[in-house]
Amino acid sequence: GESVGLHLPTLSVQEGDNSIINCAYSNSASDYFIWYKQESGKGPQFIIDIRSNMDKRQGQRVTVLLNKTVKHLSLQIAATQPGDSAVYFCAETPLLNDYKLSFGAGTTVTVRA
Amino acid sequence: DAGITQSPRHKVTETGTPVTLRCHQTENHRYMYWYRQDPGHGLRLIHYSYGVKDTDKGEVSDGYSVSRSKTEDFLLTLESATSSQTSVYFCAIRSGVRGGRDSHLFGSPLHFGNGTRLTVT
C-alpha cells in the first residue's frame, strides 16, 4: 500500500550544525506536504508546508525541499539549537482527499551541546 | 496550542467501560479530527468532522464513535474500551473549505491539541 515514511528513526546533531531530516512518500497523487515537530508531552506543532507545484519553500531557519521525481521530501534546519530536539513528522495528502493527512512514523532529533 | 483544549489529559479505565474524550476549540474552525498515536504507527486518523453533525470515518474507526453538536466541541467515544485502545489521542482542527484545488485549503494545515493519554487496564 501507499505510505509516508522517514528514512531514519533517529538523528543526532551537534548544536550549531545544520540538520537534514528526510521523508519518502509513495503516493504519486500526493499534492500537499507538511512538516510537524512534536516535543515530549505535547501535540504536533506545524512547522512548514509545501505544495506539489513548488520544489522549495523557506521559513524561519527551516527549508523544505520537494523532489517529486523521486518522491522525496526533506526538512533542513539551520544552526540547530537545543530547542530543536523533538520528533519530526512529515505528512502528505492527495489533491482529492486533502483533509486526510497520512503521517510518517517520525524522526527523533537530538541536539548535542 | 491554537485554541484547542482536550479533556481529560490523562485517564485510566477498565476494559469494557465506555469512555468519552472531549475536544474544545475557540477558533471557530470547520474541520475537526481525532487521531491516535502509537509507537511504530505514527498518527492515525480515527474520525473527522467537516461541520456540525457532519462526520466521517478515518482509517482506524472500529470501536469508536464521534459526535459534533456544536462547532466548538468534538467528542470521541469508546463504546466499550479494550486494551488495544490504550493510546495517546490527539484532536486537531483545520480551517478552509472542502474539496477542489483551493489555495486557501492548502494553506490550512492541521493544528493539534496536547493530547489525552488513555490507559485501558
Side-chain angles (χ1 to χ4, degrees):
Chain A
E2 297 180 313
S3 63
V4 177
L6 293 169
H7 289 310
L8 294 173
T10 61
L11 179 67
S12 181
V13 182
Q14 185 68 41
E15 182 178 357
D17 287 352
N18 296 335
S19 303
I20 299 176
I21 306 165
N22 296 305
C23 181
Y25 64 96
S26 57
N27 186 350
S28 57
S30 295
D31 194 48
Y32 178 49
F33 305 85
I34 308 174
W35 280 100
Y36 285 92
K37 171 186 180 184
Q38 186 175 24
E39 296 173 281
S40 181
K42 295 186 177 181
Q45 178 184 6
F46 169 76
I47 301 174
I48 192 169
D49 57 357
I50 190 168
R51 293 186 61 182
S52 62
N53 59 355
M54 307 168 70
D55 54 19
K56 180 179 180 180
R57 194 174 186 202
Q58 289 185 294
Q60 187 176 12
R61 277 202 310 119
V62 295
T63 301
V64 55
L65 299 177
L66 176 63
N67 186 331
K68 294 182 291 295
T69 301
V70 295
K71 299 194 184 98
H72 183 268
L73 188 70
S74 68
L75 178 70
Q76 300 178 2
I77 304 174
T80 308
Q81 302 170 358
D84 295 327
S85 292
V87 180
Y88 290 81
F89 298 92
C90 63
E92 61 83 23
T93 184
L95 170 64
L96 296 180
N97 205 17
D98 51 15
Y99 43 79
K100 291 183 181 179
L101 288 173
S102 296
F103 287 83
T107 292
T108 299
V109 173
T110 302
V111 180
R112 305 188 307 270
Chain B
D1 294 340
I4 306 169
T5 303
Q6 290 187 236
S7 59
R9 289 298 312 277
H10 302 272
K11 185 169 182 66
V12 179
T13 192
E14 294 184 348
T15 299
T17 60
V19 177
T20 295
L21 308 183
R22 181 179 183 240
C23 178
H24 178 78
Q25 61 144 331
T26 59
E27 306 296 321
N28 200 36
H29 282 350
R30 177 178 178 180
Y31 296 97
M32 299 186 75
Y33 305 78
W34 278 107
Y35 283 84
R36 61 178 289 175
Q37 186 176 42
D38 305 287
H41 290 279
L43 286 152
R44 293 180 292 174
L45 181 64
I46 305 171
H47 281 280
Y48 64 97
S49 170
Y50 45 94
V52 173
K53 299 185 179 178
D54 290 325
T55 66
D56 205 351
K57 297 179 179 179
E59 61 183 304
V60 290
S61 60
D62 288 347
Y64 302 94
S65 63
V66 290
S67 66
R68 192 168 178 201
S69 59
K70 298 184 290 185
T71 299
E72 58 266 34
D73 290 325
F74 193 32
L75 303 180
L76 177 71
T77 298
L78 288 65
E79 303 291 347
S80 177
T82 67
S83 59
S84 65
Q85 294 176 311
T86 292
S87 186
V88 181
Y89 291 86
F90 287 100
C91 173
I93 64 175
R94 180 171 180 167
S95 64
V97 297
R98 183 179 183 181
R101 183 181 285 276
D102 187 321
S103 62
H104 174 61
L105 181 60
F106 287 98
S108 58
L110 267 62
H111 294 282
F112 288 84
N114 281 328
T116 293
R117 183 173 294 276
L118 177 67
T119 302
V120 183
T121 61

